[in-house]
Amino acid sequence: MNAVEIEEAVATLAVQPFDSTEFPFLFLAAFGNKETTLKRLRKGDSNASDIPNGVLQRNNIHIAVCQEGEVPATLKALRESPQTTQAKAKFILATDGAVLEAEDLASGEPIACNYSDFPDHFGFFLPLAGISAIKEIKDNPIDVRATGRLNKLYVELLRENPDWAKDDRRPDMNHFMARLVFCFFAEDTDIFTGTGLFTNTVETMSERDGSNTHEVLGIIFRAMNMKREERVTAKLSRWAGEFPYVNGGLFGGETDVPRFTRTARAYLYQAGQLNWKEINPDIFGSMIQAVADDEERGALGMHYTSVPNILKVLNPLFLVDLRGQLDSAGDNKIKLLNLRKRMSRIRVFDPACGSGNFLVIAYKQMRDIEAEINRRRGEAGLKSEIPLTNFRGLELRDFPAEIARLALVIAEFQCDVLYRGQKEALAAVLPLDAQNWITCGNALRVDWLSICPPTGMGVKLVADDLFSTPLDQAEIDFENEGGETYICGNPPYKGSQAQSPEQKGDLRAVFQAHQERWPSLDYIAGWFFKASQFLSVTDGQAAFVSTNSISQGEQVPLLWPLIFGMDHCIRFCHTSFTWSNLASRNAGVTVVVIGFGRRTARPKQIFESSAAGRVAVRQVGNISPYLIAGDNIIVQAASGRAKDKWLMLKGNQPTDGGHLCLSRQERDALLREAPNAARYVMRYVGSQELIRGEQRYCIWVKDEDRESANGIGPLAARFSRVAEMRATSKAPSTRPFATTPHRFRQIQAVGRDTTIAIPSVSSERRWYLPVDLLGKCTIVSNLAFALYDAPLWNLALIASRVHLVWIATVCGKLKTDYRYSNTLGWNTFPIPTLTEQNKADLARCAENILLAREAHFPATIADLYDPKTMPENLRHAHERNDEVLERIYIGRRFRNDTERLEKLFDLYTKMTATKLNAKQGKAK
Ligand SMILES: C[S@@+](CC[C@H](N)C(=O)[O-])C[C@H]1O[C@@H](n2cnc3c(N)ncnc32)[C@H](O)[C@@H]1O
């Protein structure tokens, strides 16, 4: 269940007659517990409660229903119950049907309310459903509720008006919803006079069956599009005269409204009953986006970006600078005035703005600074000089774009109320401004300079309809002549495999003249590149949130040289942290923030979050594209054998249609039928076999044994199937191999005695890369890499933390898994010169790791390297290995992964410089 569904279920429960026996189960059902779980609790099988009428769900909650007036005593009993502690309950809850009290046992946070009001606290209990809610949602669930109500209405209206669901009418539908949101907000904030003017008028004037609701709404919308002086002649219904002139484009144009059913009318009424005054424009917009997206609707209310995360972008981008200027201005009125002037010319531009959360937060933060300036200058209550129209956005989908405009209008009004007072805010809000801020369009196709013309060039075109921005509009009026432009946002990431043909086309349009390998780029690379192009001709900086892949692996050589080539640099970065949302049991994506702009000699900043969430900042001379302190070195793949290491090869590729590879059962069956085939059957090891210990086999026949193998019936049958598959393969390069069906298509090598094997893809959860030592008669598949008959110290290198950090950075990831590469990761891996003693020490460490594993036979690598349950002896063996290796690098242990990486890059720079010098020496 998502947060919206939970809120609905809780609200429904609260209005039902209180049933003391059923309440605990109904409560748990509202938070997504399945009927089977509840059945077991009901039967008492899994109910460990030691309190009368208590229900205790392990690891979750201890609930007790009590007699009237006994709630505080029952809560105390729950708190003190040994079973509460033993079952690791997160919450305790007591109710008598009149009042309800609960406590979050980890934080000690309590709630106490009338029973009927407990849905107001549903956010408090969200962890019961595996959802960790931010404080704003816990304290004020209006955003989730509004999302739920609007969603129900939207779905019901589309059901009743299927033509409005078609592509050509969807924008009308979305526009209609934006109008409703404005009306709900306006009637709760005195923008409309009287209480509940909008909802009450619809309730009074429309039939209960909904049949004329569309007409009533149409008249109200017409009123809001009509100046008072025009109303007399327009014969507007008298009852609509109460509604003010709003227009601003929002109520301009068509007043067409979809038809309502009785249910839709009821949903409209329910939505109107919420207190929209409290709506939070930085949260609400992101939550509601999914309403208009049929595929995304399941994720309703899950997506929001927390304010602290957005500030990780905006603070270092420009807000810290503004606040610094405010601090140094003190009470100096001239300096304060200069800062206010500077801010009035700042543009903030989000070229993938969704429902405008970055823009809203930037706006609110700047208004906060301006209010402080005005307070210090003795001008509190002064009209804001920060134009809302300087907060620009580009968004592909029309609904979020509509919501973004509204969110900014709401933010402006709320800031006016906060800093200037209700009266001034009301006087300023209507009619709405008709200028454009948000363009609905494709950011990789639209010329950004047409939306934010270069600073210093005055532009004077005011669009007349805020809500239908022409895409090709060349210039838009704005008031920041000579000001700075700050580009920000979290554009879509989309790795090269996940892009649609349209998105591939977008990337081609951006990159084809600059990077011939553009098809391998992430979609977000387009935003980085276009931002750099934009900043080459105007004053400002950019910062985006991105998956960390943009600073790892193959993205680095493809994208960053282009950006550095424009004489730009990374000005700050926030290294990997988790960007979570409201999805149930959500682990979040790992992201980075990268701020960039024209090259400057000023110090750069690297921000790093610790596991506990503390942020540390370092000033450095330069930030490399791998987001570490150091030069802009880019690691390039190197083929062949590296001078200081054993040759690593990719495994052997069968291309056999599955006929040369065998499961354990297939092998047993084959050997029962033809025991003399045994000498041609080998163990076969790829990623899964290495990590999960799965048993697979393959048929391995050397050329000289072909005839004898062919003499074994079941083998010959398999060879002929391989021949057929290869001969008819779609890939022309495979067909010639139909003549050698007894062997794999591509044979790299086979170990004489031992093979050190590493999976090509493995989970990022492990603290070390899974590497193993295989014995004789083992064939490594193309899903792994191998070192054949290599000394054991090589295994120590691969099993080290230093190596994992290098691989994660330079090879990048496949989704969230580490992707190994011999040419990019192993051959380039910088190691100090190893003495014979070093090698002997490392070999012993490798042996100890293998022995530690053996002590847990038959546990697999997956079992042993689970970070939560890794056995102590194995952890110790790895620690020892790291200790020995790191002492070889720097004479002590590294403090953290950052230090590891910085040392590795330092060595890599020297290593490649030496190579270059050697080459140049040869050329002379
Ligand atoms: C990750 S969301 C970020 C939105 C918002 N900042 C938030 O946190 O909810 C990315 C946004 O980019 C929009 N988008 C995707 N492709 C786009 C394109 N080619 N041009 C403009 N916007 C695009 C999506 O519709 C989505 O709203």
Side-chain angles (χ1 to χ4, degrees), residues 54 64 71 104 116 133 253 270 392 396-397 425 428 436 471 492 544 548 591 594 597 601 672 694 722 761 806 813 822:
V71 169
D104 177 339
S116 56
Q270 283 170 16
R392 309 234 152 162
L396 191 63
R397 296 174 297 154
N436 293 304
L471 273 187
F544 291 130
N548 49 10
V591 297
I594 304 182
R672 267 196 305 276
E694 286 169 16
V722 174
V761 175
W806 181 252
K813 303 230 177 93
N822 54 345

Side-chain angles (χ1 to χ4, degrees), residues 286 289 305 350-354 357-358 394-397 441-444 490-492 506 523 527:
S286 312
Q289 285 195 39
T305 304
D350 181 347
C353 69
N357 48 1
F358 281 73
L394 238 176
E395 167 56 44
L396 191 63
R397 296 174 297 154
N442 184 334
L444 298 193
N490 55 339
D506 296 343
Y523 195 42
W527 274 260

Side-chain angles (χ1 to χ4, degrees), residues 203-259:
E203 175 74 356
T204 316
M205 300 311 299
S206 65
E207 302 292 340
R208 282 177 162 272
D209 64 0
S211 56
N212 71 337
T213 309
H214 64 292
E215 289 163 8
V216 173
L217 287 170
I219 294 168
I220 295 175
F221 292 169
R222 216 148 65 82
M224 289 196 267
N225 189 27
M226 209 178 280
K227 298 194 172 126
R228 292 222 175 256
E229 55 275 19
E230 294 166 359
R231 293 184 179 187
V232 190
T233 46
K235 294 195 183 130
L236 190 75
S237 309
R238 284 178 76 88
W239 55 263
E242 295 271 346
F243 288 90
Y245 172 65
V246 177
N247 193 322
L250 182 54
F251 291 95
E254 287 294 315
T255 48
D256 212 10
V257 175
R259 296 187 75 93

